[in-house]
Structures are given as C-alpha cells and as structure tokens.
Amino acid sequence: MSRAQSTSATDGASGFRPVERVSPTDQVREQLLAAIERGDFLPGSALPSERKLCEMFRVSRVAAREALAGLEAMKLIVIQHGRGAFVRENVNVQYAGPFAEYLRLQRTELIELLKVRGALDALAAEEVAVHGSDVDIDEIEHAAEDFARVAEAEQRNVSELARLDIAFHLSIANASGGTLLPNLLAELNDVLKESRSATLSRDGQAIKSVSEHRAIVDALRSRDGAAARHAVVGHMSGIQNWLEQLSDADDD
C-alpha cells in the first residue's frame, strides 16, 4: 500500500479518488463534502492536512487550500491556524445551517438561473407530452422513481439525491427532441449542481420533490402539454419562492 493510500485509509477517507480533470479545487471540495455527509468526518473531527490532501487527491497545495477555504465559507468547517481544519460541531447531514449561508450569498444569481432553467424545463416537458414516445416517458418515470427511492430512504445521501434529481430533469430535456434545448439545460444544471444539494437538504424538500416529479410524469402520460408545463412551473416556483424569502434568520 502506498503512503497516499495508507494516509487515506487512516483518515477515514478511503472513498476519495485522485483528481484528474479541470477545476481540481471544485472536485476536492465536492469530495470532502460527500465525505462529511457520509460521516467519514464527524462534527469536531479534523480533516486531513493540506499536505495529506495534496497526496490523496494529487493536486497542488493551492487547490487543497482553496477547497478548504470554500468549505469554511459555507460554514461547514473551521480552520484553526497552526492546528488544521475541523468539521463544525453543529454540522449535521442535512446541512441546514451551513448551506443557508451559501444560499444567501448566491441568492440573486440562483433565482435568475432558476427562472431561466424553469422556463426551459417547462418547454421541454410540453414538447415531450406532445411529441415524446412512450419509451421516452417510461425512462423519465424510471428516473423519477430512482430519485424517490433515495429520497424516501431512512438515511439519505444528499449528493446522490442531487445527482438523481439532475438525471430526472435531463431525461425530460433529452426526450424533447433536437440538441439545443438539451444542451442548454445540461449547462444550466451543471452550473446549479452545488445549489441543488443545498435546496434538497432543506427539511421536507426531497419528499416534496418526489410528489412533484410524479405529477410531472402523470402529465406527460396524459399527453397534456399545458398540464406538463404547469406541473414543471409549480415544481420550480416553490424553490424560487423559498429562496426569495430566505432571510438572515435562517442561520439559526
């Protein structure tokens, strides 16, 4: 076993993988988020040092430092100079407090992006209802039920939930025909990927999304374009309205 592998195992981080693509800082941050969510690093425990993170992820010291700074800005960890980075004592797997800060900081941009995405999602759903095949709708329903299984599980993995939510919405986009609409929605979903974990960690949001996804599928099955558009608009507007009402009180 190599030194990097040994370090990873002893730090409870055996699920980490080396970073090979662009944006190493983002990937390190996302993997650390997932590790905290899995319980690899409990509240109050220390994260690996910058040097160890460089070895495990095969990234530069700058990328490791920026990834930790990003987690600190989201109030997931606290960095104690000379001692290291520690998971905050009040952090739980739902991220209610830490993600509230992130959402507030990004709120204006997120609302604008969600409005654009919502309009395109609604158009895609209408196209599928009118022109999509039964096979397309079967695949969309399967994606909805994959999301539901994780959302309704006793212990939810928020990162997996976010991935399956994206898969559900992209299954509609991909069934809408053409290439421009699916490509635009794929880009928007990629930009909004981090905020998705934040919104899905909101108490009750995952189960609410299950119901709304099924309502979208029902509208597609009925071949009612207006109903499909309405179901998507209702699904997206709930999240938009919550973000618009988010206040400083949500830190408590």
Side-chain angles (χ1 to χ4, degrees):
M1 179 181 287
S2 70
R3 181 184 177 189
Q5 290 172 322
S6 175
T7 301
S8 176
T10 57
D11 283 317
S14 56
F16 289 147
R17 61 188 185 281
V19 171
E20 299 173 350
R21 297 182 294 174
V22 214
S23 305
T25 296
D26 290 342
Q27 292 191 58
V28 172
R29 186 180 66 247
E30 287 177 10
Q31 290 194 55
L32 287 172
L33 272 170
I36 293 170
E37 179 189 318
R38 288 194 304 267
D40 292 351
F41 301 102
L42 299 175
S45 66
L47 292 180
S49 67
E50 284 182 13
R51 179 181 59 79
K52 290 180 180 178
L53 289 175
C54 293
E55 293 175 356
M56 289 188 290
F57 293 112
R58 300 177 195 169
V59 296
S60 70
R61 197 82 173 241
V62 172
R65 185 178 300 121
E66 289 180 349
L68 291 173
L71 294 177
E72 186 178 41
M74 294 169 68
K75 296 189 176 180
L76 280 170
I77 67 170
V78 58
I79 297 175
Q80 299 178 7
H81 296 290
R83 293 193 60 209
F86 298 84
V87 180
R88 283 186 178 270
E89 291 286 356
N90 61 345
V91 168
N92 58 58
V93 293
Q94 298 302 316
Y95 299 131
F99 272 140
E101 176 68 11
Y102 167 77
L103 290 172
R104 264 195 311 282
L105 291 173
Q106 308 293 331
R107 177 171 52 186
T108 301
E109 181 182 358
L110 287 174
I111 290 171
E112 186 175 357
L113 287 170
L114 283 170
K115 286 179 179 177
V116 174
R117 201 200 103 196
L120 294 178
D121 273 349
L123 175 60
E126 185 174 27
E127 287 294 313
V128 174
V130 176
H131 303 295
S133 69
D134 289 341
V135 172
D136 289 333
I137 297 174
D138 285 344
E139 290 178 357
I140 293 167
E141 185 170 19
H142 289 154
E145 292 311 310
D146 285 343
F147 176 89
R149 276 191 290 276
V150 175
E152 293 168 348
E154 187 174 341
Q155 291 186 334
R156 293 188 199 121
N157 182 316
V158 180
S159 297
E160 179 68 359
L161 206 56
R163 184 187 71 79
L164 292 171
D165 188 51
I166 291 173
F168 168 72
H169 285 282
L170 287 185
S171 70
I172 297 174
N174 292 332
S176 65
T179 57
L180 180 58
L181 188 54
N183 286 343
L184 285 172
L185 281 167
E187 290 291 335
L188 279 169
N189 276 285
D190 189 56
V191 170
L192 290 164
K193 180 170 58 178
E194 193 164 24
S195 69
R196 225 179 198 107
S197 293
T199 54
L200 285 169
S201 69
R202 176 192 175 200
D203 188 34
Q205 181 59 52
I207 297 302
K208 187 171 183 286
S209 290
V210 169
S211 175
E212 291 170 348
H213 287 178
R214 287 171 175 164
I216 293 169
V217 172
D218 288 344
L220 297 177
R221 285 274 183 220
S222 69
R223 299 294 184 171
D224 188 333
R229 177 183 283 275
H230 180 74
V232 171
V233 169
H235 176 48
M236 296 300 299
S237 64
I239 298 171
Q240 292 171 29
N241 291 340
W242 174 62
L243 283 173
E244 287 169 355
Q245 295 166 9
L246 198 63
S247 68
D248 289 344
D250 290 318
D251 263 339
D252 299 331

